[in-house]
Amino acid sequence: MSLRERARDLLGAGVDRRDVEQRVAGLEQAVSACVRHEPVASAPEVAAAREVLERAGRRLALSLDHTVVAVAGATGSGKSSLFNALCRAEVAKPGLRRPTTTETSAAVWPARGGVGGVGGAGGVGGAGGVDPDPGPLLDWIGAARRHQVAGGDHTDLAGTVLLDLPDHDSTHVEHHDEVDRLSRLVDVFVWVVDPQKYADAALHDRYLAPLRRHAGRSVVVLNQVDRLPPDQVEVVLADLRRLLAVGGLGEAVVLPASATRGDGLEPLAEEIARRTAEREAARGRLLADLVDAGDRLERVVGTVPAGELSLTQRETVVDACSAAAGVPTVVAAARTSARRRGRVATGWPITSWIAGLRPDPLRRLHLDRGPRSGDLVTAARTSLPPPGAVERAHVERAVRDAVEARCGDLPEVWRTAARAAASPVPEDLADALDQAVAGADLGLERPRAWMRGVRVLQWLLLATGLVGAIWLLLNAFATFLVVPLPDLALGGRVGTVPVPTLLLAVGVLGGVLLALLTRWLVSVSAARSARRIDRVLRERVAEVAQLQVLGPLDGVCRDQVTAYEGVHGT
């Protein structure tokens, strides 16, 4: 069962269940998005939010029919004596040695049946008079000493788990750590102060100030009022309330008490009993923790969502990557190669054969024709020069501009994460771009249909010229041998021009003129092929840019937007 489902099933009507559900879901959504990226995942606010979620999940899995009340105070404040007075038993052992409280003691008043809260491994709270088992709750709290209260004068405390915490001003570090740990787990705080230390800065700054959101679940007891003159009690109480208000705990209940004389015990017990009977302290603590975690996480997530890249900005990145991939070089070579291939296909066969002996510029780039099939093949790598310093600088600048355009208004941790995601290893990017160019289909493997038609016509003209030339040679040879030839063999005339001569002239001059006429068409076709190849290569480069630059940047920004929506939805 998810944390949100637990909140929906277990939270009572006194705390807005929908509000808690939304905050749980939003915080889970935000944390899940933040932990995917460094350095966002390492931010203390993210760790604190994860801790709140884990703690909330654990608390919801335990008994919500018990209210955990912590009695905390400084050494000599009399908190252990006050704790024992509430328990009507010597559960804690106050003494003269300091610190007097070295471990957490727990007194448990049995709950009056359950309200559907899960009691943990030890049992399930429910109707029918079955008391929820507080054992798993005490195990989670880590109370070393436990006392079951069987009854007494404070029977209204049913369902209360009262803790006597170690002294918060102890000289032992482990006692400080224990108080810090338990202050994050308890539902109601009872801070015991004495007339001498009620203004202690360590208490107000370290413990009370961080609990501003829990002021409504805090009780501050001025103990040992028996040591004050009667006319000074209200003066000290007023000053204590003033200090609490300054620290943001103006809603805290302030009560006078004397553990030795029994003064103020009943009002304190009634205040604890009221909070326990409402069964809202644990739920309210959970809600306050979620709100606090969301507010702190906002400092990491930011106050605005990530922006979007315009088409022009994306094209700028692709342009820089295209230049680094050598696309202009390939396009220029392809234009030259297409023009050469076109002239070979449409030129006069004799001169075309000579032109075909010239090197193909694509061969130098390992994008030449295969020696056997005649089809254009691509190598595993091209022989394009690697990106130079200028090209790399252009790519880096385009990436920086893209990151700034999307993340300029975000906290630095997100900008750092975006820069890291959108800045691939230069060698990896260069290799991927080279592979993209090498694997592109340039579409120059076969001449166009009109070129093939011209080629057929050129060969027909060449054949015509050859027929005429051979005919003339045969006539000349026969004349040399003084062999009389019939008029048919001489071929006759067209006007004044002999037919063999006409055939030779048509074959040679026609082929040359046809080659000259198609040269312009070949140039136009080569230019069109170059534009098409440029488009194909840019599409291939755009895929690499999306995979290695724009895609990772989009991923970081999507997670930031997800985290933003989760936090601001709470």
Side-chain angles (χ1 to χ4, degrees):
M1 181 182 294
S2 68
L3 178 55
R4 185 179 183 182
E5 290 171 339
R6 289 177 183 171
R8 182 179 62 246
D9 294 344
L10 300 177
L11 291 177
V15 173
D16 189 339
R17 200 172 359 180
R18 182 175 300 176
D19 188 18
V20 174
E21 287 182 45
Q22 291 176 347
R23 291 183 184 277
V24 167
L27 201 60
E28 285 181 327
Q29 173 181 315
V31 170
S32 178
C34 288
V35 297
R36 297 191 186 106
H37 308 284
E38 288 291 346
V40 184
S42 300
E45 292 83 357
V46 176
R50 295 181 70 178
E51 180 185 353
V52 167
L53 287 172
E54 293 172 1
R55 188 165 66 243
R58 191 79 176 99
R59 184 66 180 93
L60 287 170
L62 298 171
S63 173
L64 288 177
D65 296 305
H66 288 87
T67 300
V68 182
V69 182
V71 180
T75 302
S77 63
K79 65 175 179 61
S80 295
S81 299
L82 192 65
F83 176 84
N84 289 336
L86 290 171
C87 298
R88 301 298 186 183
E90 289 290 323
V91 180
K93 296 181 179 180
L96 297 178
R97 295 183 58 191
R98 297 190 178 188
T100 58
T101 303
T102 58
E103 59 184 8
T104 301
S105 300
V108 182
W109 281 261
R112 296 170 179 165
V115 291
V118 179
V124 178
V130 179
D131 290 338
D133 181 10
L137 178 61
L138 293 172
D139 292 338
W140 178 59
I141 293 171
R145 304 178 68 244
R146 306 176 184 182
H147 174 72
Q148 183 80 20
V149 179
D153 295 335
H154 304 310
T155 55
D156 287 340
L157 293 177
T160 300
V161 175
L162 194 65
L163 304 179
D164 181 28
L165 273 56
D167 304 330
H168 69 74
D169 61 347
S170 170
T171 57
H172 297 280
V173 176
E174 59 270 20
H175 295 169
H176 288 285
D177 295 340
E178 180 71 356
V179 174
D180 291 342
R181 182 184 69 85
L182 290 173
S183 66
R184 295 191 293 269
L185 304 181
V186 301
D187 306 323
V188 177
F189 302 92
V190 176
W191 295 98
V192 181
V193 298
D194 61 80
Q196 292 182 334
K197 297 182 180 180
Y198 74 90
D200 183 21
L203 170 65
H204 286 268
D205 296 340
R206 180 169 182 176
Y207 294 105
L208 295 181
L211 296 174
R212 294 184 185 93
R213 293 194 183 277
H214 305 284
R217 284 169 300 285
S218 298
V219 179
V220 180
V221 178
L222 179 64
N223 195 25
Q224 301 175 0
V225 294
D226 53 304
R227 297 184 179 182
L228 290 172
D231 59 341
Q232 290 296 310
V233 173
E234 286 301 325
V235 175
V236 175
L237 286 174
D239 191 46
L240 176 57
R241 292 189 181 96
R242 180 187 63 80
L243 293 173
L244 293 173
V246 171
L249 283 92
E251 297 181 22
V253 175
V254 179
L255 298 174
S258 172
T260 57
R261 292 192 320 203
D263 297 352
L265 290 181
E266 286 302 322
L268 176 59
E270 290 174 1
E271 184 65 26
I272 296 174
R274 180 182 65 81
R275 297 171 185 269
T276 301
E278 291 174 351
R279 300 182 184 274
E280 295 300 328
R283 301 163 175 84
R285 170 64 195 258
L286 171 61
L287 180 59
D289 283 346
L290 292 171
V291 172
D292 183 64
D295 288 349
R296 295 181 61 188
L297 195 59
E298 184 183 27
R299 297 198 292 267
V300 173
V301 171
T303 56
V304 294
E308 293 291 340
L309 283 181
S310 66
L311 181 60
T312 301
Q313 291 167 328
R314 290 183 177 271
E315 287 295 326
T316 300
V317 175
V318 175
D319 289 341
C321 291
S322 296
V327 169
T329 301
V330 176
V331 171
R335 180 185 294 108
T336 302
S337 177
R339 191 163 48 239
R340 170 188 171 276
R341 294 168 192 239
R343 290 175 180 177
V344 169
T346 62
W348 191 42
I350 295 177
T351 57
S352 295
W353 176 77
I354 297 173
L357 297 177
R358 297 175 183 175
D360 190 330
L362 290 181
R363 181 183 296 276
R364 299 173 182 174
L365 302 178
H366 289 176
L367 295 170
D368 54 320
R369 292 179 181 273
R372 294 184 180 178
S373 64
D375 294 334
L376 187 68
V377 295
T378 56
R381 288 190 60 86
T382 71
S383 59
L384 285 166
V390 175
E391 289 78 12
R392 291 192 178 191
H394 286 169
V395 172
E396 292 173 358
R397 180 176 179 178
V399 171
R400 286 197 305 270
D401 291 346
V403 171
E404 187 63 24
R406 297 207 67 177
C407 308
D409 296 329
L410 303 185
E412 179 60 30
V413 288
W414 284 102
R415 294 201 299 272
T416 302
R419 284 192 293 267
S423 301
V425 178
E427 291 74 15
D428 293 345
L429 178 60
D431 185 67
L433 292 173
D434 189 80
Q435 292 294 319
V437 172
D441 181 9
L442 302 185
L444 299 178
E445 62 274 11
R446 296 188 63 190
R448 296 183 179 275
W450 70 268
M451 293 182 182
R452 294 196 296 270
V454 171
R455 177 186 294 178
V456 171
L457 183 57
Q458 284 283 21
W459 280 106
L460 290 175
L461 290 172
L462 179 62
T464 301
L466 287 175
V467 169
I470 294 172
W471 200 340
L472 288 174
L473 287 175
L474 289 175
N475 288 340
F477 185 70
T479 302
F480 176 77
L481 295 177
V482 193
V483 176
L485 294 174
D487 292 340
L488 182 62
L490 294 174
R493 295 175 179 271
V494 177
T496 60
V497 181
V499 171
T501 303
L502 181 61
L503 291 177
L504 177 61
V506 169
V508 174
L509 295 178
V512 173
L513 289 175
L514 182 60
L516 292 176
L517 289 174
T518 56
R519 182 179 290 266
W520 176 79
L521 293 176
V522 167
S523 297
V524 172
S525 177
R528 292 181 61 184
S529 295
R531 290 193 294 271
R532 177 183 54 79
I533 290 171
D534 180 70
R535 184 173 62 254
V536 169
L537 292 178
R538 282 180 60 83
E539 289 174 356
R540 299 272 298 183
V541 169
E543 293 176 0
V544 175
Q546 180 64 30
L547 181 64
Q548 296 208 14
V549 178
L550 297 175
L553 175 59
D554 291 341
V556 173
C557 292
R558 279 196 303 271
D559 284 335
Q560 190 277 334
V561 172
T562 299
Y564 169 83
E565 292 174 348
V567 167
H568 290 273
T570 61

